[in-house]
Amino acid sequence: MEKKIIARRPHCLVLPHPAQGHINPMLQFSKLLEHQGVRITLVTTRSYYNNLQKVPPSISIETISDGFDKGGVSEAGSLTVYMQSFLQVGPQTLGELLEKLGQSGDTVDCVIYDSFLPWALDVSKRFGIVGAAYFTQNMTVSNIYYHVHLGKLQPPLTEDEISLPAMPKLQHKDMPSFFFTYGRNQFMFDLVVAQFSNIDKADWILCNIFHELEKEVVDWVTKIWPRFRSIGPNIPSVFLDKSGQDDQDYEFTQFKGEDCMEWLNTKPKGSVVYVSFGTMFALGETQMEEVASCLRECSSYFLWVVKASEDNRLPKDFEKKTEKGLVVTWCSQLNVLAHEAIGCFVTHCGWNSTLETLCLGVPIIAMPFYSDQLTNAKLLTDVWKMGIRAPIDDDKIVQRGALRDCIREVMESEKGKEIKSNATQWKTLAVKATTQGGSSHRNILEFANSLCHS
Ligand code: UDX
């Protein structure tokens, strides 16, 4: 009988920085590659492994060490100590993993590494394996850091307005916060700049954006890195073109959600303000007080995510479930943003939240706190024009009156209607980019095909 020759599927190791905001998009990207015949092994740290219960069964999981195998960042005591240790221990243990897989005949064809972990590229090159950098933040932010790497931009910023090729003009309030915390936290600044330390050796540079969203900067960087490809937004396809109905089962989170859908179902279309400040930043007491008072006084319904770590800072008399408002410790944000009752999103502008609100056409009120969030806020409000920025003082506190006015403007004014129409257009473009023939879809096919034929 004729023997059927089954082509070997290419095998990729996918190595995200071990935090939810990095693992989620890289996992979604992995699933897209799987659909194109690529086999995926997700690599995480031993300390983070237990958080990964929701990975699809078709994806294998391997672990490496960050030097704090029991407790990760909390065992290290600070992100800086943790990342320094990961930098020391990670490369050796990644090398050991590649050796182990090679010896067992499970050869790795490509390492897709989080750009926060550039040492992974050096390891893959040592093994003669294709290395693909994956940027979880957008290219406007990344291009700022790239210019620091080039020696063309340095803290402290002396110009009032920062002008870089193919980018909108940026004021200090739009620049990543690390420019202003440089003296106190040089490590984080060095870390984001180090993303480019060996980038010229990367075989591919992938970024969780879509071309139409950052057209100018993408065209500019593609001239420098011909193998730059936009492959996003990497969110479950059920929230984009609805092609993968099983997708949301694998939305990964280490937090326990609370059901708010029943409460949302009782609210009219576009009537609820959704408030959430992401996974990492915990609001202080005064910040909580101002947001709480605003939500109590404003005329809209609200759904507010107050993380367990912030709960004791919520004003004591603040009721967590009323006709007007609901406070939860966690929710499925994508399902919430997709609910027709949601009228706007008060957000810290983390990159995942930004992409999610954009894909679901929800207008925003930007309250950025640190890191890339300030630049994302600039893009959301002034470039993509799908929201407004709440005035925040130097201590990152928003005055309740100012936040209330912003909510009224987005939810009730003529400008609000314009903003909603812009948000809807971005949603259409995001869906188009990720469906058959769209820019990101084409780029993903090209990348997957290159692995299948290498
Ligand atoms: C961090 C940094 O703060 C940010 O600057 C960077 O861009 C990414 O990493 P994070 O605080 O995790 O961001 O926010 P974000 O990137 O927006 O990711 C939060 C994720 O948690 C989103 O995918 C969101 O859907 C999810 N989420 C949040 C929930 O599912 N439920 C919630 O209740 C809150």
Side-chain angles (χ1 to χ4, degrees), residues 210-258:
F210 57 103
H211 185 209
E212 294 73 10
L213 193 60
E214 295 192 282
K215 193 171 177 325
E216 287 78 15
V217 70
V218 166
D219 291 344
W220 192 82
V221 297
T222 310
K223 285 190 199 128
I224 306 170
W225 306 309
R227 285 234 170 152
F228 175 90
R229 296 291 183 272
S230 49
I231 42 78
N234 294 150
I235 70 167
S237 62
V238 72
F239 295 102
L240 287 162
D241 63 350
K242 315 223 173 331
S243 64
Q245 294 297 339
D246 61 333
D247 269 358
Q248 60 188 323
D249 293 347
Y250 298 118
E251 186 200 331
F252 163 73
T253 176
Q254 72 203 94
F255 302 98
K256 291 242 179 312
E258 287 171 51

Side-chain angles (χ1 to χ4, degrees), residues 11-30:
H11 181 199
C12 274
L13 285 198
V14 175
L15 173 63
H17 169 67
Q20 168 163 3
H22 292 243
I23 295 177
N24 267 350
M26 291 186 78
L27 193 54
Q28 295 304 332
F29 181 58
S30 299

Side-chain angles (χ1 to χ4, degrees), residues 20 137 251 276 278-280 305 330-331 333 348 350-353 356 370-373:
Q20 168 163 3
Q137 299 188 341
E251 186 200 331
S276 171
T279 62
M280 292 168 112
V305 178
W330 189 257
C331 65
Q333 180 163 297
H348 69 313
W351 185 238
N352 295 294
S353 294
E356 290 164 11
Y370 80 118
S371 181
D372 58 327
Q373 297 161 12

